[in-house]
Amino acid sequence: MVVNNKVDSLSYDVEAPPQGAAAAAAAAAPPPAPAHHHHAPAPVMREGAAVLEMHKVSLPEPRTAAKALRQRLAEVFFPDDPLHQFKNQSSARRFILALQYFFPIFQWGSEYNPRLLRSDLVAGLTIASLAIPQAHSSFVPPLIYSLLGSSRDLAVGPVSIASLVMGSMLREAVSPDEQPMLYLQLAFTATFFAGVFQASLGFLRLGFIVDFLSKATLTGFMGGAAIIVSLQQLKGLLGIVHFTSHMGFIDVMRSVFKRHDEWEWQTIVMGTAFLAILLLTRQISARNPKLFWISAGAPLASVIISTILSFIWKSHSISVIGILPRGVNPPSANMLTFSGSYVALTIKTGIMTGILSLTEGIAVGRTFASINNYQVDGNKEMMAIGIMNMAGSCASCYVTTGSFSRSAVNYSAGCKTALSNIVMAAAVLVTLLFLMPLFHYTPNVILSAIIITAVVGLIDVRGAAKLWKVDKLDFLACISAFLGVLLVSVQMGLAIAVGISLFKILLQVTRPNLVVKGLIPGTQSYRSVVQYREAVRVPSFLIVGVESAIYFANSMYLVERVMRYLRDEEEKALKSNQSSIRCVVLDMSAVAAIDTSGLDALSELKKVLDKRNIELVLANPVGSVTERMFNSAVGETFGSDRLFFSVAEAVAAGACKAQR
Amino acid sequence: MVVNNKVDSLSYDVEAPPQGAAAAAAAAAPPPAPAHHHHAPAPVMREGAAVLEMHKVSLPEPRTAAKALRQRLAEVFFPDDPLHQFKNQSSARRFILALQYFFPIFQWGSEYNPRLLRSDLVAGLTIASLAIPQAHSSFVPPLIYSLLGSSRDLAVGPVSIASLVMGSMLREAVSPDEQPMLYLQLAFTATFFAGVFQASLGFLRLGFIVDFLSKATLTGFMGGAAIIVSLQQLKGLLGIVHFTSHMGFIDVMRSVFKRHDEWEWQTIVMGTAFLAILLLTRQISARNPKLFWISAGAPLASVIISTILSFIWKSHSISVIGILPRGVNPPSANMLTFSGSYVALTIKTGIMTGILSLTEGIAVGRTFASINNYQVDGNKEMMAIGIMNMAGSCASCYVTTGSFSRSAVNYSAGCKTALSNIVMAAAVLVTLLFLMPLFHYTPNVILSAIIITAVVGLIDVRGAAKLWKVDKLDFLACISAFLGVLLVSVQMGLAIAVGISLFKILLQVTRPNLVVKGLIPGTQSYRSVVQYREAVRVPSFLIVGVESAIYFANSMYLVERVMRYLRDEEEKALKSNQSSIRCVVLDMSAVAAIDTSGLDALSELKKVLDKRNIELVLANPVGSVTERMFNSAVGETFGSDRLFFSVAEAVAAGACKAQR
């Protein structure tokens, strides 16, 4: 079927001011309707012109309050529509689907093959080499995650930020050196609470609160935390024995220089040498991604070499790890304490580390999912991470989550499924059972060097520079998080950054964009005259586009801003001897919602303009706004003859009225 | 000039699915350009169809970062553009304008005439009759306000809410019965701090924070406060001597019933009788607005009659006001204390009462300004109210502001300018100097009855019902404020309500509206298929309208929601044997802003869709969004051939590509 779309060219001059209104009206007239349409447009006759066709503003199908609430809640809590796949299935099929839903291992396990196994084996062994120093926490949690988790690339283990926060929060109350048993009890209990908190967030479908930590905030936070963690490693790197337990930049630096009598040159030489080597391998791998195994293997190699050196040397001035507990994770369920004076502290620590580790885990999971083009379910991830921590706290593990650096290694080592976590757990198990005594002579300085190498990669200067270029307020959030973490505390830094991010949203809502629109020649479209310099203002019309929901927080501003535009336009019209404004058209296309204060503001604006004999009409209100207008008295105030399908039709109708 | 707008009718059937894409593309073709246009559209040829004309997406004129920041700050802090009137004026004229700007009395004073004076005299005397019981605070502040204030209808004086909060906050620390002098000192100091706080808000142009108390919140807050105030008047109405100083509903009710042995039948009879009369006069005036003077005069009449009765009766069981300080306001500047242990308390009390009274004053001022069609400058009002309270605190006045009930009386008594405040102050002065002893025998129960009558009018059940009908979340904020004030505390009630209001905004941002759009037959417009049932989906296109700014808080949701729409549409297409989706069009018209997370989300969505061989294009991005896209790498990712002027052109171009 050939489409016949012959349109006679219009012979008018949009720029000639006296005829402008009529010309614009003509341009705005929509083409006649096709033969088949669903509603009855009201034709309006004009002398010497074609038939103008008006379209009604529709209301969405009426819903009961209960149904509206249900739909709203579903969108808030179930945006992923998890029950969709269960529709139209037999009950046996549904059981399998449910099993696969709760235990993703059944999903990828059913399609597993030897080719995938080889990839996962290599990847699993690679990440195991990173995991040895925190061996216990890298055994039970990865096993649980491989059953429940929905990410294929996440490598599970303790992460520095959460460990750091937990350490600093617990140390304020209990010293790990003086009361090691109590400290361990509190740490496991806090881990348990972190797990409970994470799993409940997932169960209550509150996954979206993680979204409030913006990427800008995380960039600044990571940078600050990385510097703090690196500085704290100066303890090991310089061989200082008495060191502050605080985390602030100033406390740490004071400790470093106050204790310069404790600096150990042997330690410093060894540490600096290995640090240089580790950073070099990192550089090599970064330049040539095919050589990823150099930086991946370097930590384990450094541990082995330095242990051998230290065993030969037997210097007393280089502190070593000493006796490590041998054997599989001892059960620690009996160490969880839910009474006594430390409950509040452990709950607070649990929630704080829980939210921090959750954020990192989910952000990392999402990053790799987007690279490999699959979906990660935030709420399911929360439950997986939470259950993994609850189980971990009963098996001598600290808080664990998906670690960014390990997952990156896992991904570049070619992992295909969560089986790489099982491989890693198995490798760690072997180490725990048979290889632990070998680590007796491992110097602490090597662990410090490994940690520094890992965290400096988290400082994303280029990312911060990009923020500055694109969005100054995002950069402010980033730098506040950075400085807050560095100078005050981790919690305060995060709180400030989240506060700035929320303030930014509120600012946008309080002072929304309002733009004056003009007709784009050759179209029926009205656009901002600031953005489109070719846009032509329609004489005696003021067309204002509102680019935000209308709320109590901006309703007053809206009225004042429109009145200001009106004043400016009238002054301009007076100067150029044009006709004064007779009609204000509010383009409501971008007003996604309106509340009672917003409705009152519209009525007020209409009242004020009525007194000045200026018509106020609304163009293209969306469904929910139209619904609200007709639920309140405002709909009647405007009436259907002041609600238009589009700006073009509003202008056309207004022009008609003026010519009568 | 007659406009020639002949358009041939299009012969196609929008509903026939197989030809739909082509038909839609044809319908989307804009009419040929007029002779004069400012840019060069790129014509695209299609077989057997008219020439398609494409319009470029424009960028706003480039601004430097400094200029953008300046414009942004100006919009946040100077939305009213106060310097506008000074443009192009001589310096003498500028001085007068500045004088008129800072002292509005010079503005209306220069046009004052005897006719206005008569109106203002009547109104001033009427509101003075309401002001006698709080005489001192109704003398100095109205005089200051009449100089500085920009509202013509505001009647200034102490208001119950702020007085109540101040009383309850100070009473927690100091008992007015045991340490009356200290209590007075603290009250005046708190008033001073309230004034400083208010004036600084105005000076720093932070007037907009008052906007965060929504009308819904105020409705609930007023209702709760009115009930609490009424219940506290049971002390006077029942003649109870020992009464709680707390404000909670439960404390007050416990006091009332625990002390039923102190109930005084004489007091109860007198109080109930006058209360009934006062409520009756209120009803009469409400039914017939011309009889406003009945309810306006009733309080003063009640005071006079009851005083005479009490003087004749001389009953010891009815408590009377007793000796009132005679004479003009004693200076109290020497009573302000800025040191000692109570400073924190007075600052806290000052800020709390300051913000409460400011909110009421500005809301009332704006209400009457909108009735009489003039503008009230929020920041100037803040400074006027603040200076008035700073001055008041030095002249034995508590916190004052524009009172709703008095201003209503002022307005209905026909006031024209702020002179009515001067008349009131003069009448109060005469009373203070000569008539004070007459009030010795005034029974306290009458003041209780007057206060109850005044505050029950603040309970707006109809307003709350309207909120329920129009906006359930607004109703929730209202009822939370109500119950919070009633059951917990005024501060807590307000905090909860503001929290809910902010949560509502954030919820809207976190879960923005996304709508699938279809072509409205007979137009080139695309609208939500839920709102417009006649909208026709374009086969193999998914057109999604985003109705919110894209932020870190919703960028993930956006990607997931679009993918869900895509899944649903593909399932639908599969079922009905239609062609699958080949192109996703994001209609960006309603996206007022985008941040770095939002830009990343767009790139990610594009990457995901690219892997599935589905094209992602953007239609009609606004200026600031286009600017940001081209400042980041995202603009290049999309390139100008994936940015379209409108959905119609995007669909037309997409259809062209598919037919090649």
Side-chain angles (χ1 to χ4, degrees):
Chain A
M1 186 178 115
V2 175
V3 175
N4 180 6
N5 187 14
K6 202 167 123 255
V7 183
D8 283 355
S9 80
L10 305 171
S11 58
Y12 64 87
D13 182 354
V14 195
E15 283 194 299
Q19 298 87 10
H36 302 263
H37 50 70
H38 302 251
H39 64 313
V44 179
M45 291 303 296
R46 282 207 295 127
E47 320 128 38
V51 173
L52 252 191
E53 211 186 285
M54 305 306 278
H55 298 80
K56 268 199 178 160
V57 174
S58 286
L59 271 168
E61 265 182 87
R63 300 176 295 179
T64 60
K67 198 184 169 194
L69 186 71
R70 221 190 56 209
Q71 289 181 343
R72 181 106 190 112
L73 289 179
E75 209 52 60
V76 172
F77 294 108
F78 299 95
D80 52 343
D81 192 11
L83 295 179
H84 175 82
Q85 52 171 336
F86 292 103
K87 272 179 200 156
N88 311 321
Q89 301 286 350
S90 69
S91 55
R93 181 85 190 118
R94 277 187 194 178
F95 175 75
I96 294 172
L97 282 174
L99 208 63
Q100 291 185 338
Y101 180 77
F102 289 109
F103 301 97
I105 194 172
F106 290 109
Q107 206 164 0
W108 54 263
S110 60
E111 297 152 5
Y112 210 76
N113 62 44
R115 206 170 44 78
L116 294 176
L117 181 64
R118 218 192 70 203
S119 303
D120 283 338
L121 256 177
V122 175
L125 285 174
T126 310
I127 51 175
S129 78
L130 291 179
I132 301 292
Q134 314 112 340
H136 277 156
S137 296
S138 299
F139 173 46
V140 174
L143 286 179
I144 309 266
Y145 184 82
S146 60
L147 285 177
L148 298 170
S150 57
S151 165
R152 297 177 207 153
D153 304 279
L154 213 62
V156 164
V159 290
S160 44
I161 308 298
S163 313
L164 207 71
V165 171
M166 175 173 282
S168 79
M169 286 180 79
L170 293 182
R171 246 170 249 175
E172 306 264 310
V174 176
S175 157
D177 302 320
E178 289 161 23
Q179 296 173 288
M181 197 59 199
L182 178 61
Y183 185 82
L184 271 185
Q185 279 183 352
L186 296 189
F188 293 146
T189 312
T191 301
F192 181 80
F193 280 127
V196 171
F197 175 69
Q198 292 167 334
S200 342
L201 281 186
F203 187 74
L204 296 173
R205 317 250 354 145
L206 292 173
F208 64 86
I209 66 163
V210 174
D211 292 344
F212 281 98
L213 290 170
S214 67
K215 202 184 152 185
T217 304
L218 284 177
T219 304
F221 169 71
M222 291 272 190
I227 291 181
I228 285 278
V229 173
S230 303
L231 290 178
Q232 284 207 321
Q233 301 313 317
L234 288 177
K235 182 194 178 189
L237 212 59
L238 301 174
I240 299 172
V241 181
H242 300 91
F243 205 74
T244 179
S245 64
H246 290 282
M247 280 179 61
F249 178 76
I250 293 159
D251 284 322
V252 172
M253 289 319 283
R254 192 180 289 150
S255 249
V256 165
F257 289 104
K258 212 168 147 197
R259 297 290 177 184
H260 65 266
D261 50 317
E262 292 182 1
W263 291 14
E264 265 297 339
W265 71 266
Q266 288 179 339
T267 312
I268 295 175
V269 168
M270 191 176 197
T272 318
F274 274 99
L275 185 59
I277 293 169
L278 284 167
L279 288 174
L280 189 71
T281 59
R282 223 192 145 77
Q283 276 299 318
I284 293 172
S285 296
R287 294 246 170 116
N288 190 346
K290 277 193 185 167
L291 301 176
F292 73 90
W293 53 268
I294 293 186
S295 71
L300 189 61
S302 305
V303 168
I304 294 169
I305 295 167
S306 66
T307 307
I308 294 169
L309 284 180
S310 148
F311 180 76
I312 298 166
W313 212 332
K314 284 212 172 97
S315 158
H316 286 287
S317 55
I318 292 179
S319 81
V320 294
I321 290 183
I323 295 159
L324 273 175
R326 192 176 165 172
V328 205
N329 294 19
S332 61
N334 57 330
M335 289 172 77
L336 304 182
T337 45
F338 302 118
S339 56
S341 54
Y342 293 113
V343 173
L345 175 73
T346 47
I347 291 180
K348 220 174 85 184
T349 311
I351 290 179
M352 196 68 208
T353 52
I355 193 129
L356 284 175
S357 57
L358 207 53
T359 310
E360 179 163 355
I362 289 184
V364 171
R366 279 187 163 162
T367 307
F368 288 103
S370 83
I371 295 176
N372 289 339
N373 193 17
Y374 63 90
Q375 295 279 316
V376 160
D377 181 335
N379 291 304
K380 230 155 85 183
E381 279 294 284
M382 285 187 168
M383 288 185 68
I385 293 176
I387 293 172
M388 152 181 123
N389 277 323
M390 283 158 71
S393 72
C394 303
S396 303
C397 300
Y398 297 133
V399 169
T400 50
T401 185
S403 138
F404 182 73
S405 46
R406 284 195 209 185
S407 303
V409 172
N410 197 20
Y411 169 71
S412 57
C415 74
K416 296 291 175 220
T417 66
L419 195 85
S420 61
N421 275 307
I422 300 181
V423 173
M424 171 178 79
V428 167
L429 178 67
V430 171
T431 313
L432 281 171
L433 286 179
F434 310 111
L435 309 178
M436 245 16 191
L438 298 182
F439 292 101
H440 178 100
Y441 282 97
T442 306
N444 281 320
V445 65
I446 292 306
L447 300 183
S448 292
I450 292 176
I451 293 177
I452 291 179
T453 316
V455 296
V456 289
L458 297 178
I459 305 175
D460 185 7
V461 179
R462 209 173 293 169
K466 195 183 128 199
L467 289 179
W468 169 257
K469 203 175 141 204
V470 179
D471 191 332
K472 305 288 182 286
L473 268 175
D474 268 4
F475 180 76
L476 183 67
C478 169
I479 213 75
S480 306
F482 177 77
L483 291 178
V485 168
L486 202 59
L487 301 177
V488 192
S489 73
V490 171
Q491 296 98 310
M492 191 50 82
L494 271 187
I496 294 172
V498 171
I500 291 176
S501 305
L502 293 187
F503 173 75
K504 202 184 129 189
I505 292 184
L506 292 179
L507 190 68
Q508 179 71 34
V509 172
T510 317
R511 292 283 183 265
N513 267 4
L514 267 78
V515 292
V516 173
K517 295 193 165 184
L519 181 68
I520 303 291
T523 72
Q524 299 174 8
S525 301
Y526 288 78
R527 293 284 187 275
S528 158
V529 294
V530 176
Q531 185 183 1
Y532 291 88
R533 264 144 287 169
E534 66 264 36
V536 180
R537 283 169 210 241
V538 187
S540 70
F541 278 88
L542 171 61
I543 301 159
V544 178
V546 183
E547 296 184 346
S548 156
I550 305 181
Y551 281 130
F552 63 93
N554 61 27
S555 58
M556 282 293 175
Y557 171 77
L558 176 79
V559 174
E560 283 176 3
R561 194 72 188 79
V562 170
M563 295 309 289
R564 210 171 100 206
Y565 275 134
L566 191 63
R567 187 192 67 192
D568 292 350
E569 290 296 311
E570 296 212 314
E571 279 177 8
K572 221 178 272 171
L574 204 70
K575 250 183 221 160
S576 59
N577 265 333
Q578 284 190 333
S579 56
S580 66
I581 303 292
R582 282 197 314 264
C583 184
V584 174
V585 182
L586 278 194
D587 183 357
M588 306 277 283
S589 318
V591 179
I594 196 165
D595 72 353
T596 44
S597 306
L599 290 169
D600 288 345
L602 286 185
S603 307
E604 197 192 305
L605 188 61
K606 185 166 181 308
K607 217 189 289 169
V608 173
L609 291 177
D610 274 352
K611 290 210 179 156
R612 295 171 63 167
N613 272 325
I614 296 173
E615 188 89 50
L616 174 67
V617 302
L618 307 181
N620 189 22
V622 303
S624 60
V625 172
T626 318
E627 213 170 37
R628 283 241 163 117
M629 287 185 65
F630 281 99
N631 277 347
S632 68
V634 180
E636 286 152 37
T637 313
F638 278 91
S640 54
D641 54 332
R642 284 197 192 80
L643 286 187
F644 288 95
F645 175 77
S646 64
V647 175
E649 295 192 5
V651 171
C656 292
K657 218 178 259 183
Q659 284 183 344
R660 259 181 230 149
Chain B
M1 184 179 116
V2 175
V3 174
N4 180 6
N5 187 15
K6 203 168 120 254
V7 183
D8 282 355
S9 80
L10 304 171
S11 59
Y12 66 88
D13 181 352
V14 194
E15 285 196 296
Q19 296 87 12
H36 301 261
H37 50 72
H38 303 250
H39 63 313
V44 180
M45 290 304 295
R46 282 211 293 126
E47 322 127 35
V51 173
L52 254 189
E53 210 187 283
M54 304 307 276
H55 297 80
K56 264 200 182 163
V57 174
S58 286
L59 270 168
E61 266 181 89
R63 300 174 295 178
T64 60
K67 196 181 170 197
L69 185 71
R70 222 191 55 210
Q71 289 182 343
R72 180 109 190 110
L73 289 179
E75 209 51 62
V76 172
F77 294 108
F78 299 93
D80 52 343
D81 192 12
L83 295 179
H84 174 81
Q85 52 171 335
F86 293 102
K87 272 180 201 156
N88 311 321
Q89 302 286 349
S90 70
S91 55
R93 180 86 190 116
R94 275 187 196 180
F95 175 74
I96 293 174
L97 282 174
L99 209 64
Q100 290 185 339
Y101 179 77
F102 288 110
F103 300 97
I105 194 172
F106 291 108
Q107 203 164 0
W108 55 264
S110 59
E111 297 153 7
Y112 209 75
N113 61 43
R115 206 169 46 77
L116 293 176
L117 181 63
R118 220 194 68 203
S119 302
D120 283 340
L121 256 178
V122 174
L125 286 175
T126 309
I127 52 176
S129 78
L130 291 178
I132 300 294
Q134 313 114 341
H136 278 155
S137 296
S138 299
F139 173 49
V140 173
L143 285 180
I144 309 266
Y145 184 81
S146 60
L147 286 177
L148 299 170
S150 58
S151 165
R152 299 176 206 153
D153 305 277
L154 213 62
V156 164
V159 291
S160 44
I161 308 300
S163 312
L164 205 73
V165 171
M166 176 175 282
S168 80
M169 286 179 80
L170 293 183
R171 244 171 251 174
E172 307 262 312
V174 175
S175 158
D177 302 320
E178 289 161 22
Q179 296 174 288
M181 198 59 198
L182 178 61
Y183 185 83
L184 271 185
Q185 280 182 352
L186 297 188
F188 294 144
T189 312
T191 302
F192 181 79
F193 280 127
V196 171
F197 175 67
Q198 293 167 332
S200 343
L201 282 187
F203 186 74
L204 296 173
R205 316 242 5 137
L206 292 173
F208 65 85
I209 65 161
V210 174
D211 292 345
F212 280 100
L213 289 170
S214 67
K215 205 186 149 185
T217 305
L218 285 177
T219 304
F221 168 71
M222 292 272 190
I227 289 181
I228 286 279
V229 172
S230 302
L231 290 177
Q232 284 206 319
Q233 301 312 316
L234 287 177
K235 182 193 178 192
L237 212 60
L238 300 173
I240 298 172
V241 180
H242 301 92
F243 205 76
T244 180
S245 63
H246 291 282
M247 279 180 60
F249 178 75
I250 292 159
D251 283 322
V252 171
M253 289 318 283
R254 194 181 287 151
S255 249
V256 166
F257 287 104
K258 212 168 150 194
R259 297 291 177 184
H260 66 265
D261 50 316
E262 290 182 2
W263 291 14
E264 265 298 337
W265 72 266
Q266 288 179 338
T267 313
I268 295 174
V269 168
M270 192 176 199
T272 318
F274 275 98
L275 185 60
I277 292 170
L278 285 167
L279 289 173
L280 189 70
T281 58
R282 223 193 146 78
Q283 275 300 315
I284 293 172
S285 297
R287 293 244 170 116
N288 189 346
K290 279 193 181 164
L291 300 176
F292 73 89
W293 52 270
I294 293 187
S295 70
L300 188 61
S302 305
V303 168
I304 295 170
I305 296 169
S306 67
T307 307
I308 295 172
L309 282 179
S310 146
F311 180 74
I312 299 169
W313 211 334
K314 285 210 170 100
S315 158
H316 285 288
S317 53
I318 293 178
S319 78
V320 293
I321 291 182
I323 296 159
L324 273 177
R326 195 176 163 173
V328 204
N329 293 18
S332 60
N334 59 330
M335 290 172 77
L336 302 182
T337 45
F338 302 118
S339 57
S341 55
Y342 293 113
V343 173
L345 175 72
T346 47
I347 291 179
K348 220 175 85 184
T349 310
I351 290 179
M352 196 69 207
T353 53
I355 192 130
L356 284 176
S357 57
L358 207 53
T359 311
E360 180 164 354
I362 289 183
V364 171
R366 279 187 164 165
T367 307
F368 289 101
S370 84
I371 295 176
N372 289 339
N373 194 17
Y374 64 89
Q375 295 277 318
V376 160
D377 180 335
N379 291 304
K380 231 156 83 182
E381 279 293 284
M382 285 186 169
M383 289 185 69
I385 293 176
I387 292 171
M388 155 179 120
N389 277 321
M390 282 157 74
S393 71
C394 303
S396 302
C397 300
Y398 296 132
V399 169
T400 49
T401 184
S403 138
F404 182 73
S405 45
R406 284 195 209 186
S407 303
V409 171
N410 196 20
Y411 169 71
S412 57
C415 73
K416 297 291 174 217
T417 68
L419 194 85
S420 62
N421 275 308
I422 301 181
V423 173
M424 172 177 81
V428 166
L429 179 67
V430 171
T431 313
L432 281 170
L433 287 179
F434 308 111
L435 309 178
M436 247 12 194
L438 297 181
F439 293 100
H440 178 98
Y441 281 98
T442 306
N444 281 321
V445 64
I446 292 305
L447 300 182
S448 293
I450 292 175
I451 294 176
I452 291 178
T453 316
V455 295
V456 289
L458 298 177
I459 305 174
D460 186 6
V461 178
R462 212 174 290 168
K466 197 183 129 199
L467 289 178
W468 168 257
K469 205 175 141 202
V470 179
D471 191 333
K472 304 287 182 287
L473 268 175
D474 268 5
F475 180 77
L476 183 68
C478 169
I479 213 73
S480 307
F482 177 77
L483 292 178
V485 168
L486 203 58
L487 300 177
V488 191
S489 73
V490 171
Q491 296 99 308
M492 191 48 83
L494 271 187
I496 294 171
V498 171
I500 291 176
S501 304
L502 294 187
F503 173 76
K504 203 184 129 188
I505 292 184
L506 294 179
L507 190 67
Q508 179 72 35
V509 172
T510 318
R511 292 284 182 267
N513 266 3
L514 269 78
V515 291
V516 173
K517 294 192 166 185
L519 181 68
I520 303 290
T523 72
Q524 300 175 7
S525 303
Y526 288 77
R527 293 285 187 274
S528 157
V529 293
V530 175
Q531 186 184 0
Y532 290 87
R533 263 145 288 167
E534 66 265 34
V536 181
R537 284 170 208 241
V538 187
S540 71
F541 279 89
L542 171 62
I543 300 159
V544 178
V546 184
E547 297 185 345
S548 157
I550 304 180
Y551 282 131
F552 64 93
N554 60 28
S555 57
M556 281 294 175
Y557 171 77
L558 176 79
V559 174
E560 282 176 5
R561 194 71 188 81
V562 170
M563 294 310 289
R564 211 172 99 207
Y565 276 133
L566 190 64
R567 186 192 68 192
D568 293 350
E569 290 295 312
E570 295 211 314
E571 279 177 8
K572 225 179 271 172
L574 204 70
K575 250 183 221 161
S576 58
N577 266 331
Q578 285 189 332
S579 56
S580 66
I581 303 292
R582 281 196 313 265
C583 182
V584 174
V585 181
L586 277 195
D587 183 356
M588 305 277 284
S589 318
V591 179
I594 195 163
D595 71 353
T596 43
S597 307
L599 290 168
D600 288 344
L602 285 186
S603 309
E604 196 192 307
L605 188 60
K606 184 163 182 309
K607 214 189 290 168
V608 173
L609 291 177
D610 274 353
K611 290 214 177 153
R612 293 171 61 171
N613 271 324
I614 295 172
E615 188 92 47
L616 174 65
V617 302
L618 307 180
N620 189 21
V622 302
S624 61
V625 173
T626 317
E627 214 171 35
R628 284 242 162 116
M629 285 184 64
F630 281 98
N631 276 349
S632 68
V634 181
E636 286 152 36
T637 315
F638 278 90
S640 54
D641 54 332
R642 284 197 193 80
L643 286 188
F644 288 94
F645 174 77
S646 64
V647 175
E649 294 191 5
V651 171
C656 291
K657 216 178 258 181
Q659 283 183 347
R660 258 179 228 148

